Amino acid sequence: MAIASISSWYAGNETLIQNILIYALLAFSVQVVLRAGVFSLAGIGFYAIGSYTAALLLKKGWPTVPSILAAVLLCILLGYLLALLLVRLRDLYLAMATVAFDLMVGVVATNWTGLTGGPLGVTGIPLVMGTLPIFLTAVGAMLLLGLLQRGVLGRSFEAIREDEPLALTLAIDTSRYRHFAFVISCVLGCLAGAYHALLFGTIEPTDAGFELIVLALSMVIIGGFRSWAGALLGAILLTWLPLELTSVGSWLNLVYGGLMIVLATWLPGGLLDALRALLRLPARLRLLLRSPSSLAATGEERG
Amino acid sequence: MSAAPLLEVRDASVRFGGVHALRGAELSVSTGSLCGLIGPNGSGKSTLVNVISRLTKLTGGALLMDGDEIDSLSADRARAAGIARTFQTVRLLPSMDVLANVMLGGATHFAQRSVAVNWLWPPRRANANRTARQAALVALERVGMAAHAHARPQALPYGQQRRVEIARALASRPRLLLLDEPTAGMSHHEREEVGDLLMELRREGLTQVLVEHDLAMIHRVCDHAHALNFGRVIASGSTQEVAADPGVREAYLGHGSSGERAQDSERAQESGPPESPAKVSQ
Ligand SMILES: Nc1ncnc2c1ncn2[C@@H]1O[C@H](COP(=O)(O)OP(=O)(O)OP(=O)(O)O)[C@@H](O)[C@H]1O
Ligand SMILES: [Mg+2]
């Protein structure tokens, strides 16, 4: 009975789940750099590069796995080179440069008609991708990102974000770490794009445009940029909300905007922070009941 | 105690646009000594510490450790080579507890290795986390902060935050420790304790450079001292010699006598951390 109802629920929501998984990978790509203090949105450009590379190779008759691997390798190479080019840029300047890169990828995709099919995009991509490989990739990414944010290594990235000169004096080669986070971001963006193309069978050169940049960034800011879990939360919310809120129509952007302002003002750590505070509440209450004075000490914790 | 200099600064100059923060500063710190650095506000003390820790590049001159030039070393390599420092304004990371902050100071060897391997090779991760933790606990014990290992740094009084900073610098077992006004904003008692700690470290052979406004403190703990004014070393020698130097007296009188400076730092304790006029340089 239960299994039957789960499987019928799944059948009705499979596309939603696929979208969430793909957007989660894209959100991870933004989160992994933001956590390291690298304000890069290049992941969205690599979403486009990944989707075209995998799709075109597949249409040429390449098998699935080599097509995706080739896309990933190309993105590692390009990501590495792009990082060399942008190494001196920080914060807003880096964000602007990477947005420009994303838009340039779109321009190339639209105009290099011989390779990309131009404004019409790519159609008839073999539908070789299923939900399971995407799910496994997303889970793998979560495990690896979890490792990247734990222990001394994870805190090194935090140190770089919060105080880069200090991180240098702690023997952290900050440019190497930033570079590393940048390339990981490119790979995640690439995977999201490749899976999207092979799952839905079409690419349009406008897929990875300004809207996708804003969406991916919103997911991470709303969910919380300090952990992959925040990015996942944001991806789930912003993929699912538009379906639930179809009645509000174009007012949806107002909902996003309002949510962003509220979070930026009161919860810079995103909804994940709110969730964690909520989960800690029972323990805090218990502590309060036992010894009211002890709360003062732990109350400072969140700062 | 060997007289060979561990650190030598030769004719160092640093310019920030039109500001000459250092103009031909000379400094020699022999192995195992505790060297005091005094000078009025804006005389270039923090800039000199930044130069030695490689955060600031020299515009001219040379920097030598063990007789080898190190002016091309990056700040992270300098730390790996054993140059550790504290900051004039406390720089602990508020997002993690005291232990985690100090552990970052105890993982300098790990930090220098390949990020990919550090990430994906479990034995190395586990080993680094364990050794950093041990080093951090030992260092916290030394500065008397072991009981506060799990506090958030911003929840601690200013004097304790400063001691955590010293622990973070000590956790990597440095060869040279640079302390930029480590007792600013501390009570008299705390200041004595930190002085005792520095002397104890010196007895164990750790070479230290101490930037300090309080001449009494310099006198109590240092072997020798250098006085900076307008980016130049205007006096160096024993602490008495430097304190008695007419140039030094004039430099201090020009900006307020040493007596007033002592009162300044007394006042700083009451009103919390003194806001620095040149925050960027710290
Ligand atoms: N990053 C910077 N950019 C521009 N000017 C700077 C910078 N860092 C320091 N300076 C200037 O260089 C001079 C020396 O500053 P420094 O911080 O080294 O002095 P200090 O001796 O440490 O003073 P204090 O006792 O106030 O800490 C000052 O005039 C300061 O304004
Ligand atoms: Mg200073």
Side-chain angles (χ1 to χ4, degrees):
Chain A
M1 245 283 281
I3 291 173
S5 70
I6 287 176
S7 69
S8 79
W9 174 86
Y10 178 77
N13 290 283
E14 186 163 16
T15 314
L16 173 66
I17 290 167
Q18 290 167 342
N19 273 315
I20 285 177
L21 291 171
I22 287 169
Y23 280 133
L25 286 172
L26 187 64
F28 292 161
S29 126
V30 175
Q31 184 267 332
V32 74
V33 270
L34 284 194
R35 185 170 187 283
V38 179
F39 197 171
S40 161
L41 294 162
I44 289 83
F46 282 92
Y47 177 96
I49 297 175
S51 66
Y52 274 104
T53 311
L56 293 175
L57 287 177
L58 203 69
K59 280 190 77 170
K60 273 201 154 154
W62 282 46
T64 312
V65 174
S67 302
I68 295 172
L69 273 184
V72 168
L73 288 178
L74 178 70
C75 288
I76 290 178
L77 181 70
L78 288 179
Y80 183 82
L81 295 176
L82 185 63
L84 284 182
L85 202 68
L86 302 178
V87 68
R88 294 202 178 282
L89 299 185
R90 293 283 185 279
D91 306 328
L92 213 52
Y93 298 97
L94 181 61
M96 288 302 294
T98 51
V99 167
F101 167 78
D102 298 343
L103 300 181
M104 275 157 58
V105 171
V107 171
V108 171
T110 314
N111 292 294
W112 193 352
T113 316
L115 181 72
T116 63
L120 297 177
V122 187
T123 50
I125 305 163
L127 300 178
V128 290
M129 195 41 68
T131 311
L132 188 65
I134 305 181
F135 176 74
L136 292 179
T137 308
V139 170
M142 291 174 215
L143 289 175
L144 290 176
L145 292 177
L147 278 181
L148 199 60
Q149 66 194 41
R150 264 213 306 276
V152 170
L153 180 67
R155 291 192 212 108
S156 301
F157 282 106
E158 264 177 87
I160 296 168
R161 182 187 74 232
E162 289 181 31
D163 190 342
E164 195 173 344
L166 168 73
L168 279 170
T169 68
L170 297 171
I172 299 165
D173 183 348
T174 57
S175 44
R176 198 147 53 86
Y177 278 66
R178 291 169 57 97
H179 210 123
F180 191 81
F182 190 93
V183 174
I184 299 294
S185 162
C186 296
V187 169
L188 288 165
C190 168
L191 283 172
Y195 286 169
H196 188 268
L198 305 195
L199 190 65
F200 296 111
T202 56
I203 305 173
E204 281 175 37
T206 49
D207 279 352
F210 204 67
E211 260 176 53
L212 192 63
I213 297 174
V214 173
L215 180 64
L217 187 60
S218 308
M219 286 172 173
V220 177
I221 302 295
I222 288 175
F225 71 94
R226 291 208 182 89
S227 166
W228 61 264
L232 178 65
L233 193 64
I236 292 172
L237 216 67
L238 292 201
T239 313
W240 170 74
L241 261 187
L243 300 178
E244 286 301 303
L245 299 179
T246 42
S247 54
V248 301
S250 55
W251 291 92
L252 190 65
N253 284 331
L254 202 69
V255 176
Y256 285 178
L259 203 55
M260 294 274 263
I261 292 171
V262 168
L263 286 171
T265 313
W266 286 290
L267 267 180
L271 287 177
L272 188 69
D273 265 16
L275 208 66
R276 282 189 175 148
L278 217 62
L279 290 177
R280 258 201 319 270
L281 206 59
R284 293 276 290 279
L285 283 177
R286 226 175 300 133
L287 203 65
L288 182 69
L289 291 177
R290 225 182 300 141
S291 56
S293 61
S294 65
L295 198 68
T298 54
E300 290 290 334
E301 258 184 37
R302 298 307 306 171
Chain B
M1 196 177 300
S2 154
L6 176 69
L7 177 82
E8 260 187 284
V9 180
R10 285 190 192 151
D11 194 25
S13 62
V14 169
R15 244 199 323 260
F16 299 108
V19 181
H20 244 105
L22 289 180
R23 34 184 119 200
E26 302 264 347
L27 189 75
S28 167
V29 183
S30 52
T31 307
S33 69
L34 206 174
C35 167
L37 199 57
I38 61 170
N41 289 107
S43 56
K45 303 180 298 295
S46 295
T47 304
L48 191 54
V49 168
N50 287 345
V51 162
I52 301 169
S53 61
R54 307 305 307 122
L55 279 181
T56 298
K57 286 200 167 28
L58 282 172
T59 353
L63 189 64
L64 291 91
M65 185 150 110
D66 295 322
D68 299 324
E69 290 222 4
I70 55 164
D71 12 344
S72 54
L73 221 59
S74 57
D76 60 294
R77 293 270 170 103
R79 173 68 183 252
I83 302 177
R85 66 167 294 171
T86 67
F87 291 88
Q88 186 169 348
T89 40
V90 174
R91 283 164 86 160
L92 297 169
L93 301 172
S95 63
M96 50 190 94
D97 65 13
V98 162
L99 179 64
N101 266 286
V102 179
M103 275 172 73
L104 281 177
T108 53
H109 180 59
F110 176 76
Q112 287 277 299
R113 305 179 79 177
S114 151
V115 188
V117 179
N118 285 353
W119 179 28
L120 298 173
W121 185 236
R124 188 183 289 179
R125 294 177 63 93
N127 184 46
N129 288 330
R130 182 161 28 79
T131 50
R133 193 184 182 82
Q134 278 162 1
L137 288 172
V138 169
L140 282 170
E141 188 72 55
R142 285 222 75 157
V143 302
M145 289 296 294
H148 301 276
H150 296 293
R152 291 268 155 179
Q154 64 272 30
L156 296 174
Y158 197 64
Q160 294 192 347
Q161 293 186 22
R162 285 205 167 281
R163 286 201 260 175
V164 174
E165 267 221 340
I166 298 176
R168 181 173 65 188
L170 287 176
S172 61
R173 304 184 139 272
R175 298 179 58 209
L176 174 65
L177 175 60
L178 310 169
L179 300 145
D180 196 350
E181 303 194 26
T183 62
M186 283 189 177
S187 71
H188 180 71
H189 177 66
E190 280 181 309
R191 222 183 284 197
E192 298 265 285
E193 278 182 353
V194 169
D196 291 341
L197 172 66
L198 301 190
M199 287 193 287
E200 193 181 304
L201 291 168
R202 201 205 118 205
R203 276 196 293 279
E204 292 165 16
L206 177 62
T207 315
Q208 296 162 74
V209 174
L210 169 65
V211 176
E212 177 63 63
H213 275 315
D214 180 3
L215 285 174
M217 171 83 162
I218 291 272
H219 201 65
R220 184 163 92 91
V221 305
C222 295
D223 309 298
H224 59 119
H226 298 259
L228 274 177
N229 198 21
F230 295 116
R232 282 198 191 88
V233 175
I234 55 167
S236 54
S238 76
T239 55
Q240 288 102 322
E241 280 165 8
V242 170
D245 186 278
V248 174
R249 297 192 143 257
E250 199 193 307
Y252 269 92
L253 280 171
H255 297 71
S257 72
S258 57
E260 274 176 45
R261 293 214 60 100
Q263 281 169 14
D264 265 347
S265 39
E266 299 286 339
R267 235 176 288 131
Q269 295 164 29
E270 290 155 20
S271 58
E275 216 27 77
S276 157
K279 210 167 180 182
V280 270
S281 70
Q282 289 137 25

